[in-house]
Amino acid sequence: MLAEIYMMADKKGDDDGDVGVVLETKPKTKRPPLYKVMILNDDFTPMEFVVHVLERFFGLSHAQAFELMLTVHKKGVAVVGVFSHEIAETKVAQVMDFAQRHQHPLQCTMEKE
């Protein structure tokens, strides 16, 4: 096979004897966009409940959840995770449903990163 390629190159009149190889390139796929999930502060949801939500739905340790809860409390909002669209949407729905079932006005939103 290589001999055939070299003969074809010679027939084309290539002076330098280099042989070109055609490679099939795969189209590059873009990574899906990521979404920030954020928890918003309110004056009614107990801090302990927010810590519990962060531990339960975002897998944070108690210390991490407590620190993040304080950030929400002081700054009014905090990013609690970055996920694909489907996962972010699910997390927001889970938190909102859980807060509603426990009669807390806690708000959880998502936005494109």
Side-chain angles (χ1 to χ4, degrees):
M1 173 99 178
L2 280 178
E4 293 172 12
I5 293 172
Y6 283 113
M7 288 179 7
M8 288 170 48
D10 287 340
K11 287 180 185 175
K12 290 185 179 179
D14 289 346
D15 295 335
D16 56 9
D18 287 344
V19 177
V21 178
V22 177
L23 299 175
E24 288 185 32
T25 57
K26 294 182 180 177
K28 290 190 176 185
T29 55
K30 289 198 293 188
R31 300 191 119 219
L34 296 176
Y35 291 80
K36 298 184 286 189
V37 174
M38 299 167 294
I39 292 211
L40 301 140
N41 188 42
D42 64 71
D43 293 334
F44 304 101
T45 304
M47 292 179 176
E48 297 81 19
F49 184 79
V50 176
V51 170
H52 179 69
V53 164
L54 294 171
E55 291 171 347
R56 179 173 177 161
F57 297 106
F58 297 95
L60 301 179
S61 70
H62 186 74
Q64 291 170 321
F66 189 81
E67 282 297 314
L68 206 47
M69 175 276 299
L70 287 178
T71 301
V72 171
H73 181 68
K74 292 175 185 175
K75 295 188 176 182
V77 65
V79 174
V80 296
V82 179
F83 308 96
S84 68
H85 185 270
E86 293 78 15
I87 293 174
E89 204 171 47
T90 300
K91 298 260 185 209
V92 169
Q94 288 174 329
V95 170
M96 295 295 290
D97 180 57
F98 189 70
Q100 191 174 28
R101 281 189 285 130
H102 289 86
Q103 299 178 353
H104 294 299
L106 182 65
Q107 294 294 302
C108 185
T109 62
M110 63 186 261
E111 69 180 37
K112 200 170 190 178
E113 186 175 51

